[in-house]
Amino acid sequence: KRIRPVLMNVNNDNVSGGAIPTNVSDDGVEKETSSSMTGKKRRKKGKEAPQDSLRNALDAASQAASLAEGVSAQAVNRAGDRDGVAGSQNAAAAGNARSLTQAAAMESHSTTTGPALRIPYNTNKVFSVDLTSKSNATLPSTVSMSSLAALENLSDNKIVADCTNSTTSPTGGTSSWPCATLTIGRNGVRQWRDILLRTKCTAMAADDKTLVVGTADGCMYLYQTSPTLGWMSGKAFRAFPPFVLGSPVVEISIHTASNNLGEEDVKPSDMVVVTSDGNFYVYILSPMGPKLNYKGGVVQAMQHMYLSSRLTSSSLSQPKLARIQITDSKQLMIILVSPPSKSSSTGRLLQGFIYCRDMELWMRISDSNNFVLSDLYPSLSGLNVHRHSGDDDRGILSKMDRLVKSSASTMASAKQLYQKAAENQNHVSGGASSNSQNVITRSHCEDRLACSIALGSAFEFQTWLQYYARCLSTVGDGDALRFLVDILLGGVSSDDGAGGEPIPSILSFALGSKQSCLGLDRKDVIRKAILPEMSKNRLLQRLTNEMAMELNCS
């Protein structure tokens, strides 16, 4: 019986090894399949022939099965290679798609929340600071009379520290290095010099004992002078190794506390340092070196200003740090400015912030275009709420407001915004916008009161409380006035104790508690700021008398 032809490997090698299979047929002709079977015949005579044929057929079938498995394995491997190449191509395409999706998401996120903000620094100017010494500096007994007379003459001269950026070439070298040259001069005559190699100066500040220089490589250099003569000596020395901040220094501000008469202990100065990555550090300057008081970031305030300007202007610009300083009440204050865009008709925007250490967040204290619908907005009504009894410069809040609203373009922008908002309000309310405007004026007064408490300004608190009472008395809102007096007094507990202790408010806590931040008597504030405004409205005479009697009896 004939057997079907099968594919067999002549060399008896693995198919995957590269051997070419041949077609073998058992048509009765004897063929040699390997060197070991040479000379042997597959066909035998007699009765053994059928058994040999059957055995040969079974052997051929087993070999064919093994060869088929090898061929299928090779096909699977080749298919796997093709699938691997296709899979890698698909994976690359999927990776590119994910990258594009992530890029689009990041672009959408940056459009929504603003770009990654970094504060620029300047190295193309000459940094200069005046060096002043305290007048009551104690001179040593070893100083002669002639030296004292010379020092008295020198004390009238102006001592200035300058820092200039330039490039220098090392000896025998062809490359150039950046360097910063720090000098101290008296009336234009150089008295002392120091050179900072491989860096550039970006900021500088000084007090009566310390000179601080910030550089572009993220370092801070501290210099000190004579403990007896101060800067009148015209000399300085490096007091500490360079302090590494890790980012270029943008701004340095030193606040020297003013000592009252009769105080022997000298209060240390406070220094704030801002780096280009948006971080700030507040240090206490002591003779043994600066000590970190607290730290934070200015990026949150800049991001807030960016987002607020994005709602009113299509062209976006990064806010800039206009000023940072520490106030007399130990408050950290910054003023940010958003430059005007070329395509927008509005002027630049300015905002002032105070850092809250308890919350580790910024509080917005002043805004150039905020509360423009208020009747007490100074640029619109011509009413300056800070002029009271000839005291125009009392309080940091008024100073910040004047600084923020000092730009003419800002005033014009506020007037335009006021006119548009008033027109929109009249259109929505059908011409009756007085009620909404009174609400905005009341909110303006409450905002100024809260800012006065945050800044610890007692004078401005009384001023804005008076205008708050005027706003409520003008419309005859007796319930609101009663509510205002109630939160100022902090509530009165019942005699039998059934009512429990009253819950203090922020106003009563700021006025009458043991930890009062304003130092004012709540009853005197009500008598001087609220009752006179209430007496101007005849409809409130009964309520005014009732409150006056309650203050006298309690």
Side-chain angles (χ1 to χ4, degrees):
K1 187 176 180 180
R2 294 182 64 84
I3 305 301
R4 292 182 179 181
V6 296
L7 294 175
M8 295 182 64
N9 191 355
V10 177
N11 297 326
N12 198 19
D13 297 331
N14 190 5
V15 177
S16 60
I20 302 175
T22 58
N23 192 3
V24 181
S25 175
D26 55 346
D27 52 354
V29 181
E30 298 293 334
K31 295 184 178 180
E32 295 179 356
T33 60
S34 64
S35 60
S36 62
M37 296 181 65
T38 304
K40 294 183 179 180
K41 296 182 178 179
R42 298 176 58 185
R43 181 182 298 178
K44 293 184 179 181
K45 299 180 180 180
K47 297 181 180 178
E48 296 178 355
Q51 297 179 357
D52 294 340
S53 300
L54 181 60
R55 187 178 296 109
N56 293 335
L58 294 176
D59 293 339
S62 61
Q63 292 180 3
S66 62
L67 291 175
E69 291 179 358
V71 172
S72 62
Q74 184 180 13
V76 170
N77 293 333
R78 292 178 180 176
D81 295 338
R82 291 193 299 271
D83 294 341
V85 174
S88 62
Q89 295 177 354
N90 294 333
N96 295 333
R98 285 193 298 269
S99 301
L100 293 176
T101 304
Q102 293 175 357
M106 292 177 62
E107 182 178 0
S108 176
H109 179 72
S110 63
T111 305
T112 305
T113 60
L117 300 178
R118 291 188 66 88
I119 305 176
Y121 58 92
N122 189 6
T123 59
N124 299 324
K125 68 176 184 179
V126 177
F127 298 88
S128 179
V129 62
D130 295 337
L131 301 179
T132 58
S133 300
K134 291 186 177 181
S135 59
N136 58 351
T138 303
L139 297 178
S141 58
T142 56
V143 178
S144 61
M145 296 301 295
S146 60
S147 300
L148 289 175
L151 288 174
E152 290 179 358
N153 295 330
L154 293 177
S155 62
D156 297 334
N157 300 331
K158 187 176 182 180
I159 302 176
V160 179
D162 296 326
C163 193
T164 306
N165 295 320
S166 60
T167 57
T168 183
S169 298
T171 304
T174 58
S175 61
S176 61
W177 292 352
C179 67
T181 304
L182 177 63
T183 60
I184 296 178
R186 179 184 290 111
N187 291 337
V189 179
R190 187 175 64 190
Q191 304 290 325
W192 176 86
R193 186 180 69 161
D194 190 17
I195 298 178
L196 307 178
L197 292 176
R198 295 178 179 268
T199 188
K200 292 184 178 181
C201 177
T202 57
M204 188 168 61
D207 63 353
D208 58 339
K209 299 180 295 295
T210 308
L211 174 64
V212 185
V213 177
T215 58
D217 58 353
C219 290
M220 184 173 58
Y221 295 82
L222 268 69
Y223 297 85
Q224 291 183 353
T225 185
S226 172
T228 55
L229 302 179
W231 294 114
M232 289 189 299
S233 62
K235 304 293 182 181
F237 65 95
R238 293 195 185 190
F240 305 95
F243 293 99
V244 179
L245 299 176
S247 186
V249 179
V250 176
E251 189 76 22
I252 301 176
S253 178
I254 299 179
H255 174 263
T256 304
S258 58
N259 297 327
N260 299 326
L261 296 177
E263 292 185 355
E264 297 181 358
D265 297 335
V266 179
K267 298 180 180 179
S269 301
D270 297 318
M271 178 180 65
V272 56
V273 180
V274 183
T275 55
S276 63
D277 56 358
N279 295 325
F280 71 84
Y281 308 88
V282 178
Y283 300 95
I284 300 176
L285 294 179
S286 62
M288 300 303 297
K291 180 180 179 181
L292 180 64
N293 192 5
Y294 59 94
K295 61 182 179 179
V298 299
V299 179
Q300 297 86 349
M302 299 178 68
Q303 192 81 2
H304 159 73
M305 191 172 186
Y306 176 85
L307 295 176
S308 62
S309 61
R310 178 177 176 271
L311 298 176
T312 57
S313 177
S314 57
S315 58
L316 305 178
S317 58
Q318 177 177 332
K320 297 181 180 180
L321 180 63
R323 176 181 296 184
I324 183 169
Q325 68 180 43
I326 300 176
T327 64
D328 294 336
S329 57
K330 301 295 183 179
Q331 300 278 358
L332 180 60
M333 177 189 72
I334 63 171
I335 295 180
L336 302 179
V337 56
S338 179
S341 58
K342 297 181 180 179
S343 60
S344 178
S345 59
T346 59
R348 62 176 183 174
L349 302 177
L350 290 92
Q351 292 182 356
F353 301 86
I354 291 293
Y355 189 72
C356 179
R357 297 178 58 182
D358 295 333
M359 293 286 294
E360 295 185 355
L361 295 174
W362 290 97
M363 298 183 296
R364 190 182 64 189
I365 300 298
S366 184
D367 190 351
S368 58
N369 283 346
N370 201 14
F371 296 111
V372 293
L373 288 178
S374 173
D375 294 332
L376 300 177
Y377 196 78
S379 63
L380 301 178
S381 61
L383 175 64
N384 192 344
V385 298
H386 305 301
R387 293 178 181 175
H388 182 72
S389 302
D391 296 328
D392 187 38
D393 295 329
R394 295 176 59 183
I396 186 177
L397 186 59
S398 59
K399 296 179 181 179
M400 182 178 292
D401 284 340
R402 285 199 307 274
L403 182 62
V404 167
K405 297 181 176 67
S406 60
S407 175
S409 59
T410 302
M411 309 297 273
S413 173
K415 292 180 180 179
Q416 295 175 3
L417 182 61
Y418 171 77
Q419 294 174 358
K420 293 180 180 180
E423 293 175 359
N424 295 334
Q425 184 64 28
N426 291 334
H427 177 72
V428 172
S429 59
S433 61
S434 59
N435 188 17
S436 299
Q437 192 162 340
N438 290 333
V439 173
I440 296 176
T441 304
R442 184 193 65 192
S443 300
H444 187 199
C445 295
E446 293 177 355
D447 179 79
R448 297 292 90 186
L449 286 174
C451 294
S452 301
I453 296 176
L455 293 173
S457 178
F459 168 77
E460 289 166 322
F461 178 84
Q462 296 179 80
T463 302
W464 281 103
L465 182 62
Q466 180 180 357
Y467 283 102
Y468 188 28
R470 179 180 300 179
C471 174
L472 299 178
S473 301
T474 302
V475 296
D477 195 347
D479 295 336
L481 289 168
R482 192 184 298 273
F483 175 76
L484 176 61
V485 173
D486 179 65
I487 60 178
L488 286 174
L489 292 177
V492 180
S493 59
S494 58
D495 296 336
D496 55 359
E501 291 294 332
I503 301 176
S505 64
I506 182 63
L507 296 182
S508 62
F509 181 80
L511 292 179
S513 64
K514 295 181 180 179
Q515 299 178 354
S516 174
C517 62
L518 299 180
L520 300 174
D521 183 78
R522 61 185 71 181
K523 294 183 180 180
D524 292 339
V525 169
I526 295 175
R527 291 190 183 98
K528 296 178 180 179
I530 298 180
L531 294 183
E533 297 296 334
M534 294 177 59
S535 62
K536 297 178 182 179
N537 191 342
R538 294 183 178 180
L539 300 178
L540 300 175
Q541 292 296 327
R542 182 175 179 178
L543 180 60
T544 304
N545 296 332
E546 177 183 345
M547 290 183 179
M549 293 178 60
E550 182 178 356
L551 293 175
N552 294 330
C553 295
S554 59

